Amino acid sequence: MSKSIKTRMTIFIATIVFVLLTIFGGFLYWGLKAIIYRHFDQRLLVFADAIEDSYDPANNDFKFLEEKTENYFAARKGWVRIIDWNETILFQSDPFVKNPAPFPFEKAKELTTESYFYRQFKRENGKVFRSIILPVVNRISAEKIGWVEAGESVKEIENTLAFFRKLLLLSLPIALLFVAIVSYWMVNRLIQPVSAMAEQTEKISYTNLDERLPIINPNDELGRLGTRFNMLLDRLENAFQTQRQFLNNVSHELKTPITILRNHWEKATADNSLPDSIRRRLNTDVEELVRLSKMVSDLSLLSHSLEMHPALKREQVSLTEMLHHLVEDIRLLANQKNQSIEFLGNEPVQVNGEPRFLKRLFLNLLDNAVKYTPDNGSIRVSCSMENGHAVVCFSDNGIGINSQDLPHIFDRFYRASNVHSNNAKGTGLGLSIAKWIAEAHHGSLEITSQPKQGSTFKVKLPLVNNV
Ligand code: ADP
């Protein structure tokens, strides 16, 4: 499923923000943890140093030990112990942490007089403690007499960090949601001109090529795109005008000589002194000239269909009456092929339109029905009213149209593949003209057809009161 640009951009921005926030949050958490532990370790060091300083080598005693530890414990709930080089505990604060991890004598004995280290251990109840181990030095003899270990629970630190973690985890989706909403809104605003252009482009067809896209800001990228598109429409409009003009001129120029030729030949065929073979040839030529003159008049009509706003003269037309006459006219042709043709339509059906064009629409369909229905076939024309529309159907049991040809049948100059075997002459313009006339009258022309079974053309036109 293809997603819209808005959705894709929003997902893209949100993903980038998510990655950045995660990295940034990770750094923040890591930095905060380092700072808190550094403070914690510093405090342990200051305290352990103070105890070590209070060692009095003269009396082999720790001065003010009780006082210092009391102050410390009152504030921090920490603990301290002093162990001598023989691994005996000299002093242990009260309350001392229960069951501490075994003192790391080996590592402690490697310490120089100026160095120290920290260790962290977990008691069975899961509580984590961190302590500093620092050597106690006899300043007179400079020998190490033991170690002081001072520690505290890291519960408070871990609580603070856990709170920070929760804060980060909670703020991340909120920030993401906010970013997604804001970016969706922003992208939407940015591409709004594109949507407006797409909407307008959809509305533009050859009937309203004079319409142009709205340009909000001609200097930005979208504005330039719109301007270029409008220039393209200018060129298209010009090309259409030229094509129409050309069609008009060609049909106009051809009309007169073809009519003259036709008249001459028709007169010539009437001359009984001409040999039969020449007369037959002239008759075929006349047939061709008739076809040519129809094509020329179709082309002239077609040039109207390329007009942007064809000015159709509208007047009230009684379809039933018009169709009745047309069916009677075409009956002569149908009789030649021994076809039956019936008209069903008694109620008066009135539409607004140009009678000349409507006649052409119906004649094209009637003509086709006769042309593409074999001898002895039957044709049926009906006229009725349906949901505010006049519905005229032309059904025949002729050669029909196969499914590959059906989608193109209204294209100009298109003829289905089966017409050649039927030997029917034509130009391929009749249906495109018929469709254009129906649409120019705000109606429609549809077809259903089965090869070798027949076709039905359905014309729908708005009734007088619905125009
Ligand atoms: P043409 O001058 O060839 O009749 P049209 O535009 O009137 O041109 O029709 C286009 C094509 O549609 C025809 O060539 C034919 O193949 C097909 N067609 C039109 N009407 C019928 C019909 N009643 N039955 C079968 N095929 C039809």
Side-chain angles (χ1 to χ4, degrees):
M1 195 182 72
S2 68
K3 298 189 183 87
S4 71
I5 291 185
K6 278 184 276 187
T7 320
R8 273 187 286 159
M9 284 290 283
T10 308
I11 293 175
F12 179 71
I13 295 174
T15 312
I16 291 200
V17 171
F18 172 75
V19 173
L20 285 180
L21 279 183
T22 312
I23 295 174
F24 180 72
F27 272 123
L28 209 68
Y29 179 74
W30 174 78
L32 186 78
K33 190 175 176 180
I35 290 171
I36 293 181
Y37 269 103
R38 191 179 305 158
H39 273 281
F40 183 88
D41 288 351
Q42 198 65 34
R43 209 174 45 231
L44 286 182
L45 177 65
V46 170
F47 176 58
D49 241 356
I51 292 176
E52 200 270 331
D53 271 354
S54 69
Y55 177 64
D56 172 12
N59 299 317
N60 191 21
D61 188 14
F62 287 87
K63 289 178 280 175
F64 320 119
L65 184 62
E66 298 289 342
E67 191 187 313
K68 277 184 197 301
T69 51
E70 252 170 45
N71 287 347
Y72 182 68
F73 298 138
R76 313 274 349 148
K77 293 202 187 99
W79 48 268
V80 65
R81 63 178 167 180
I82 299 167
I83 301 174
D84 78 1
W85 200 258
N86 300 324
E87 303 184 6
T88 16
I89 294 172
L90 297 180
F91 173 81
Q92 192 157 282
S93 63
D94 187 32
F96 186 72
V97 59
K98 281 181 199 138
N99 316 322
F103 191 83
F105 285 106
E106 253 177 54
K107 196 174 171 190
K109 280 181 181 167
E110 282 166 15
L111 282 174
T112 62
T113 49
E114 291 303 319
S115 57
Y116 51 86
F117 67 85
Y118 295 92
R119 67 173 181 143
Q120 202 152 317
F121 56 88
K122 205 186 243 179
R123 276 182 41 208
E124 315 78 70
N125 61 4
K127 281 188 181 164
V128 181
F129 289 85
R130 185 171 172 83
S131 64
I132 184 169
I133 293 174
L134 185 112
V136 180
V137 181
N138 183 331
R139 273 189 199 76
I140 298 167
S141 62
E143 75 179 293
K144 288 185 269 186
I145 61 140
W147 305 272
V148 55
E149 178 176 21
E152 267 182 50
S153 156
V154 293
K155 193 173 159 207
E156 249 174 61
I157 293 185
E158 287 304 327
N159 281 351
T160 311
L161 289 175
F163 174 72
F164 189 67
R165 271 197 308 269
K166 259 187 222 156
L167 212 66
L168 277 182
L169 288 180
L170 201 77
S171 56
L172 190 72
I174 295 176
L176 268 185
L177 190 74
F178 179 74
V179 166
I181 293 173
V182 170
S183 48
Y184 189 83
W185 175 78
M186 255 177 59
V187 177
N188 195 20
R189 257 182 74 104
L190 272 177
I191 63 165
Q192 216 157 29
V194 179
S195 311
M197 277 186 201
E199 223 167 85
Q200 187 68 14
T201 316
E202 253 169 50
K203 282 192 218 147
I204 294 178
S205 71
Y206 69 89
T207 54
N208 58 349
L209 265 182
D210 54 339
E211 284 189 22
R212 293 293 174 265
L213 296 181
I215 310 284
I216 297 163
N217 179 2
N219 295 323
D220 65 13
E221 287 83 348
L222 292 176
R224 284 207 293 277
L225 173 70
T227 313
R228 292 280 177 281
F229 189 81
N230 281 346
M231 283 160 74
L232 178 74
L233 286 179
D234 283 345
R235 290 200 291 275
L236 263 181
E237 190 186 348
N238 275 340
F240 258 77
Q241 295 277 28
T242 319
Q243 195 185 355
R244 194 175 69 80
Q245 200 69 41
F246 174 75
L247 272 181
N248 225 345
N249 292 348
V250 167
S251 49
H252 191 77
E253 291 297 318
L254 287 176
K255 211 179 206 161
T256 325
I258 291 175
T259 318
I260 292 171
L261 276 178
R262 189 178 157 184
N263 282 342
H264 283 178
W265 265 304
E266 269 172 356
K267 271 192 199 134
T269 50
D271 185 353
N272 288 334
S273 62
L274 277 178
D276 272 357
S277 59
I278 297 193
R279 213 174 347 185
R280 266 202 303 278
R281 217 178 297 152
L282 283 181
N283 271 331
T284 327
D285 287 353
V286 168
E287 265 176 36
E288 275 307 303
L289 283 172
V290 171
R291 200 175 74 85
L292 263 179
S293 79
K294 184 170 181 296
M295 190 194 256
V296 165
S297 88
D298 279 352
L299 283 177
S300 144
L301 235 177
L302 214 64
S303 73
H304 278 280
S305 74
L306 296 177
E307 258 178 66
M308 267 165 261
H309 304 291
L312 297 182
K313 276 186 246 124
R314 299 285 170 115
E315 58 186 77
Q316 201 157 317
V317 179
S318 162
L319 283 191
T320 330
E321 213 173 297
M322 179 184 272
L323 285 163
H324 184 76
H325 285 125
L326 291 175
V327 168
E328 286 317 309
D329 288 347
I330 215 84
R331 197 181 290 282
L332 295 173
L333 274 179
N335 285 346
Q336 285 174 11
K337 293 178 82 178
N338 208 16
Q339 292 165 336
S340 71
I341 178 160
E342 63 172 327
F343 175 56
L344 307 169
N346 299 319
E347 46 181 348
V349 177
Q350 308 274 349
V351 297
N352 253 336
E354 177 152 344
R356 185 168 60 106
F357 283 172
L358 290 177
K359 255 187 207 161
R360 173 52 78 91
L361 158 64
F362 299 138
L363 260 182
N364 283 359
L365 298 177
L366 275 171
D367 196 43
N368 280 349
V370 174
K371 224 167 32 172
Y372 301 113
T373 303
D375 290 1
N376 306 318
S378 59
I379 297 161
R380 182 192 285 184
V381 181
S382 67
C383 179
S384 57
M385 289 187 280
E386 196 181 290
N387 300 331
H389 280 79
V391 179
V392 187
C393 288
F394 299 83
S395 306
D396 61 58
N397 60 355
I399 60 172
I401 300 166
N402 60 42
S403 52
Q404 291 101 294
D405 289 315
L406 263 184
H408 309 286
I409 216 69
F410 295 109
D411 295 351
R412 275 174 219 144
F413 298 107
Y414 190 87
R415 306 196 74 210
S417 43
N418 58 352
V419 292
H420 305 292
S421 55
N422 188 55
N423 237 349
K425 295 213 166 70
T427 58
L429 288 173
L431 284 187
S432 63
I433 288 174
K435 191 170 173 70
W436 169 72
I437 295 175
E439 284 170 1
H441 283 81
H442 309 291
S444 62
L445 170 60
E446 287 163 14
I447 175 178
T448 46
S449 186
Q450 288 288 328
K452 296 200 179 111
Q453 291 192 14
S455 315
T456 298
F457 288 85
K458 186 173 180 184
V459 182
K460 266 186 172 184
L461 297 169
L463 288 171
V464 170
N465 302 335
N466 272 355
V467 179

